[in-house]
Amino acid sequence: QVQLVESGGGLVQAGGSLGLSCAASGRTFSTYHMGWFRQALGKEREFVASISGIGGRTYYADSVKGRFTISRDNAKNTAYLQMNSLKPDDTAVYYCAAQYPYRGPAGSFDYWGQGTQVTVSS
């Protein structure tokens, strides 16, 4: 069982930056494939980025490639999402998720955080 808690959301102007963190409980964090998803108002949840447990291989949605960076610190049981060059279309609730065993970079995830709001003003 893994519990995930996101932090770092907020309000930022277009073109600005924001960093999200996802703190995970448990002693096996390094075995989990970690991901970030987002859901805008009235839209379906969509994949943003994910990172493998060992080796740190990363995957990104085309809409955020080159602007967002996912990373993790296994010693701190924490995953991160650095968001740069933010656009109003990035406004959404951002969710952290964990997957084990690995089923694909954007596949079904097993554990979810409560979400954190990111609002980008124009």
Side-chain angles (χ1 to χ4, degrees):
Q1 189 76 12
V2 175
Q3 291 186 326
L4 305 172
V5 179
E6 303 97 336
S7 61
L11 173 65
V12 64
Q13 288 188 331
S17 298
L18 206 57
L20 304 182
S21 298
C22 173
S25 65
R27 296 175 291 177
T28 57
F29 177 75
S30 63
T31 66
Y32 286 87
H33 189 84
M34 298 299 297
W36 287 95
F37 291 75
R38 67 186 182 186
Q39 186 168 18
L41 195 63
K43 296 187 178 180
E44 293 186 354
R45 185 173 60 198
E46 64 175 1
F47 169 78
V48 173
S50 66
I51 184 168
S52 63
I54 304 296
R57 184 171 180 177
T58 58
Y59 307 84
Y60 295 96
D62 288 343
S63 59
V64 306
K65 204 170 293 183
R67 300 188 298 121
F68 290 12
T69 301
I70 188 172
S71 61
R72 65 190 297 160
D73 186 335
N74 289 337
K76 295 183 178 180
N77 279 18
T78 302
Y80 306 95
L81 184 69
Q82 179 63 37
M83 304 181 292
N84 298 328
S85 302
L86 283 161
K87 306 174 182 179
D89 283 350
D90 295 318
T91 295
V93 177
Y94 283 71
Y95 297 91
C96 174
Q99 180 192 91
Y100 183 83
Y102 179 69
R103 295 187 296 278
S108 63
F109 279 67
D110 304 290
Y111 305 101
W112 294 84
Q114 81 288 351
T116 185
Q117 177 70 45
V118 171
T119 303
V120 184
S121 64
S122 57

